[in-house]
Amino acid sequence: MAWLAISCAGLAALAAEPFTSSRPAGPKARVVIVEDREATDSFRARAERIPAMVERGVTNLTSKATSREAWLSLVSTQDVVGIKVYSVPGPNSGTRPAVARAVVESLLAAGLPPKQIIIWDKSERDLRRAGYFEIGDELGVRVEASASAGYDDASSYTNSIIGSLVWGDHEFELTGPDIGKRSFVSKLVSQQITKIISLAPLLNHNSAGVSGNLYGLAVGSVDNTMRFELDPG
């Protein structure tokens, strides 16, 4: 119900804007759905089914014949590619580790150097509990927590909602009239990663309504996020 309410609010906002045929057309998103009824067993991913699904998805998305051609049309071997996972709910409700593994293996097969692939989320503890450090060790790729990389003074956004800063937030224990109004971007995102592949599952979120790619990427990339999740009442 919350998801429907957010969708309707978005449609209402669009309807309120005057529409003219001269309005410049924005870029169109391409959506590909890959289904396999045998891909999970009691919510657990069947690892042997996932690589073929990844290949079908990326080749259909890019209209390329092979997954190597598909990936190299999206990223280059010079990029540092961040595989953004959502590890807070664990391996069965969050991003399935088997999916992240299949994407990493496909990128490696396309020629990307292992040290230029980073599986990441906000919390090292969540990544470890979901099993991503084991995948990193096995495949030779990096696993990083954005909160541990530090936050970038030069990259932030401001919102009038003042946050109750907690340990780990960039401005924690600082004082001043504007303290708590900014959310700073992790240096992992602003200074290291050049391309991001988001592997967020679509979940219900009691505060945000829907937790998906936008929510997972936004909350995982910056600090001072409690102000957007707590009920002001």
Side-chain angles (χ1 to χ4, degrees), residues 140-181:
V141 300
R142 296 161 58 189
V143 180
E144 302 278 354
S146 60
S148 301
Y151 292 99
D152 191 341
D153 282 312
S155 184
S156 66
Y157 69 85
T158 302
N159 189 286
S160 59
I161 301 173
I162 298 177
S164 297
L165 299 175
V166 297
W167 185 88
D169 286 335
H170 192 53
E171 294 181 324
F172 180 61
E173 293 189 329
L174 298 181
T175 58
D178 293 323
I179 297 299
K181 290 184 178 180

Side-chain angles (χ1 to χ4, degrees), residues 10-19:
L11 291 173
L14 288 174
E17 296 179 7
F19 178 83

Side-chain angles (χ1 to χ4, degrees), residues 32-37 49-64 67 70:
V32 173
I33 298 174
V34 180
E35 293 182 293
D36 182 346
R37 293 183 181 275
R49 310 288 297 192
I50 308 303
M53 297 179 71
V54 170
E55 181 171 5
R56 284 162 53 200
V58 72
T59 53
N60 278 277
L61 178 68
T62 58
S63 300
K64 300 294 183 181
S67 56

